[in-house]
Amino acid sequence: MTDYYKTLGLEKDCNENDIKCAYKKLAMKYHPDKNINDKDVAEQKFKEISEAYEVLSDKEKKYNYDNGRNVTIHNHNPFDIYKQFFNNQFSFNTDINLSHCSTGSSINTTTQIINNKKITRIEKIERTPNGTKRTVEEKIEII
């Protein structure tokens, strides 16, 4: 099973403030626009951090996760979590282009943890002058 506490560098007995502080620190460190030279690695880490934050910051999801129960994650876009957390204000000096998150395309991700399987469904919708393209991808990981 994915260890969300380890992803955020936390102990299981952490509190709500610890979770927020860890997310803030790591989200700023691994934001893809801040890591231009290693963008793919940073983006993957950024997504993992956002997923961990979504579970551990929600009392019901955290309770279910801590007790080995199924958890459904609806992180529509890791950038949305970031923008919501920082109230659309960025703390580092970099030209950040998040337009791809809301105007030309959207990415919706749903993750379910069922028994020893992590099932992730990724739906991408791209709007172009020639029409709309929709792709759906599912990943199943044994944990």
Side-chain angles (χ1 to χ4, degrees):
M1 182 190 281
T2 302
D3 188 340
Y4 292 129
Y5 292 101
K6 184 177 178 182
T7 300
L8 294 180
L10 297 169
E11 298 294 325
K12 192 170 180 176
D13 63 349
C14 64
N15 62 37
E16 195 173 316
N17 191 54
D18 295 333
I19 295 166
K20 287 180 182 179
C21 289
Y23 172 76
K24 180 179 179 179
K25 177 182 171 186
L26 293 170
M28 290 179 64
K29 179 178 180 180
Y30 290 104
H31 193 288
D33 290 335
K34 192 174 179 187
N35 293 278
I36 296 168
N37 296 329
D38 217 359
K39 198 168 188 154
D40 290 338
V41 172
E43 186 171 342
Q44 181 59 38
K45 187 74 173 165
F46 186 71
K47 288 177 183 178
E48 292 169 6
I49 292 162
S50 297
E51 183 177 304
Y53 178 73
E54 182 177 348
V55 171
L56 297 180
S57 65
D58 181 291
K59 289 181 182 182
E60 183 178 347
K61 290 177 185 177
K62 183 179 184 297
Y63 177 82
N64 287 337
Y65 173 76
D66 288 344
N67 290 291
R69 296 186 179 151
N70 297 342
V71 178
T72 300
I73 304 162
H74 297 287
N75 54 343
H76 300 290
N77 188 324
F79 293 98
D80 291 343
I81 295 170
Y82 183 89
K83 288 182 349 185
Q84 180 182 7
F85 186 88
F86 289 101
N87 295 320
N88 294 318
Q89 296 177 6
F90 302 101
S91 301
F92 50 87
N93 294 325
T94 269
D95 291 329
I96 297 176
N97 180 3
L98 296 179
S99 61
H100 65 281
C101 297
S102 58
T103 57
S105 66
S106 65
I107 301 172
N108 295 317
T109 305
T110 302
T111 303
Q112 292 181 310
I113 299 173
I114 301 173
N115 298 323
N116 64 338
K117 293 181 184 174
K118 178 179 174 181
I119 305 166
T120 303
R121 183 176 189 268
I122 302 166
E123 179 180 4
K124 297 178 185 178
I125 301 173
E126 296 179 74
R127 291 170 202 83
T128 67
N130 298 328
T132 302
K133 178 183 174 186
R134 179 177 179 242
T135 58
V136 177
E137 176 183 354
E138 282 195 357
K139 297 179 182 178
I140 299 175
E141 177 185 345
I142 305 297
I143 50 177

